[in-house]
Amino acid sequence: QAGEAVPPAQRSSWASFLKSIASVSGDLSSMTCPPFILSPVSLTEFPAYWCEHPELFSAIADQNSEEQRTLAVVKWFISTLKGQYTSRNESMGSEKKPLNPVLGELFYGKWPDLNGRGETELLVEQVSHHPPITAYAIENKSKGVKLVGHNAQKTSFSGGSIIVKQLGHATLTVKLPSGDVAEYLITLPRLRIDGLWYGAPYIELSETSWIVSKSYVCSVEYKGKGYFSGKTHSFKATLNPAPGFGGSLGSHVVEGTWHTTSKFTSGPKTGLEFHNVTGPKEEVTAIGGDTSGEMGEFETRQLWKLVAKGIREGDFDMASREKSKIENDQRQRRKDEIAAGTKWPLKHFVHVDSDPTYERLGKLGKISPATEDMYVFKENWPPVA
Ligand code: HCR
């Protein structure tokens, strides 16, 4: 029944929200939603999903052939999808609307060194507010593995679902013992948010994303119930040597469901398990970004502290009062900047109009568009005391 999962007192505001998203397209982030659908977590925390299996991230460096390394990259990537797209359903009962980050919002975190895998550090900065754009860098320095990327979303409404096109991309680099650096361009899937009618949104992935290096092209096709295997969250990853890189490199096909397990279905490893995320994950430990280890006023958990408390404890008056304070402060800052003829300085990233790695590798996978902008990581982390 319509609105079944919505608290009765919020059903009419949920119905008006659904009506308004049907007519607004582009950016959903600043729309007002009924309280039951609000998450106390800001979008700046989402890049941590890239590393909830830190051992898979570090294992990329431990491979001794290009073929094994590419398989390790694809395995790590597929293993991140469960966290990225289903964890709010697990922790909060359904997909929720995250807090909309302010310009300059920051999040720092790490995963400890365990069993020789090395420490992995995470740094996130909100590099644009309208439209919301989040840039991140995740690095395991001792292993020489680093992921730098940014993402934004363009939303539309179709057939009762919200369609989210993810803009932006990530580049994974691995320092090789030879001194060379292997680069992997990673593009992101399209999302469909279903279950809106019932007030219990959840995500299904669709279309294709790519992982491309100079030697391999891997397409990952996503399908929901009723396609390849008839199961929700199905995917098929096809790895082929890049044009001109045939030789000893093998082709592989992997199929399964990204929130559980998958196996090789074609190639020399047919029948073997590929990934398995049915076990525990390792959430990031948030850390303060100052040299003192304290959290500054723009660090997400400090900035949204009272809003998040209000949402968690059901005190929505406090949440909306505190949210208005943050928004008013932001408006004032923008006005002051206009008056002074200045611009908010980004702390960790520099925006450039095109990304040569994206352009070079994107061609091999026939990725469109042919070029994309990027946020170059300034490598100024951790801070020096
Ligand atoms: C679309 C979304 C904001 C963006 C979130 C992204 C795409 C962010 C990057 C992460 O790597 C992966 C990711 C996962 C989230 O599923 C996705 C969010 C889902 C909902 C949210 C909308 C802006 C809010 C829509 C409001 C609904 C729930 C009523």
Side-chain angles (χ1 to χ4, degrees), residues 14 17 28 37 43 46 84-85 88 95-98 151 153 162 164 166 191 193 196 201 203:
W14 181 241
F17 172 73
L28 275 188
I37 205 74
L43 258 191
F46 281 43
Q84 307 257 20
Y85 303 110
R88 279 79 52 198
E95 186 57 77
K96 300 276 174 181
K97 184 172 182 291
N151 63 347
Q153 299 83 39
I162 297 173
V164 182
Q166 295 203 70
L191 325 183
I193 307 180
L196 293 167
I203 286 175

Side-chain angles (χ1 to χ4, degrees), residues 162-371:
I162 297 173
I163 309 295
V164 182
K165 181 176 183 207
Q166 295 203 70
L167 310 172
H169 61 275
T171 304
L172 180 96
T173 49
V174 190
K175 279 189 199 147
L176 304 178
S178 63
D180 289 348
V181 175
E183 293 177 309
Y184 300 84
L185 168 68
I186 298 171
T187 68
L188 308 161
R190 192 169 283 224
L191 325 183
R192 209 181 57 232
I193 307 180
D194 288 332
L196 293 167
W197 183 247
Y198 303 100
Y202 63 91
I203 286 175
E204 187 54 273
L205 301 181
S206 66
E207 306 209 351
T208 303
S209 73
W210 298 88
I211 301 175
V212 184
S213 68
K214 68 174 187 196
S215 51
Y216 265 101
V217 176
C218 171
S219 63
V220 186
E221 292 170 77
Y222 304 91
K223 295 280 188 302
K225 225 179 161 109
Y227 292 91
F228 309 139
S229 67
K231 292 186 187 146
T232 50
H233 304 338
S234 296
F235 77 95
K236 179 177 179 182
T238 308
L239 290 89
N240 283 313
F245 260 88
S248 59
L249 299 182
S251 293
H252 303 269
V253 178
V254 169
E255 289 174 86
T257 53
W258 46 260
H259 65 310
T260 60
T261 60
S262 62
K263 58 184 186 190
F264 289 91
T265 56
S266 168
K269 294 177 182 249
T270 298
L272 295 180
E273 181 174 272
F274 180 66
H275 97 297
N276 184 338
V277 283
T278 54
K281 59 180 182 172
E282 239 179 282
E283 281 180 18
V284 70
T285 302
I287 52 175
D290 282 359
T291 41
S292 62
E294 294 296 302
M295 280 194 191
E297 58 166 337
F298 269 76
E299 287 182 52
T300 185
R301 292 193 185 177
Q302 181 61 32
L303 179 81
W304 294 105
K305 201 169 169 178
L306 295 175
V307 177
K309 186 172 190 289
I311 294 173
R312 285 202 176 96
E313 295 174 1
D315 185 348
F316 297 109
D317 288 342
M318 171 167 92
S320 94
R321 220 174 29 246
E322 294 300 326
K323 184 167 167 275
S324 301
K325 281 190 200 162
I326 295 173
E327 286 165 354
N328 292 340
D329 174 67
Q330 285 290 306
R331 272 191 281 274
Q332 191 55 50
R333 282 175 191 271
R334 301 293 88 82
K335 275 191 198 152
D336 294 347
E337 284 161 11
I338 291 171
T342 56
K343 254 179 100 180
W344 178 267
L346 296 183
K347 199 168 172 167
H348 297 292
F349 295 91
V350 178
H351 182 242
V352 293
D353 288 333
S354 63
D355 177 353
T357 306
Y358 177 97
E359 287 164 14
R360 182 169 27 88
L361 296 177
K363 263 187 221 147
L364 300 176
K366 299 190 176 57
I367 294 171
S368 98
T371 188

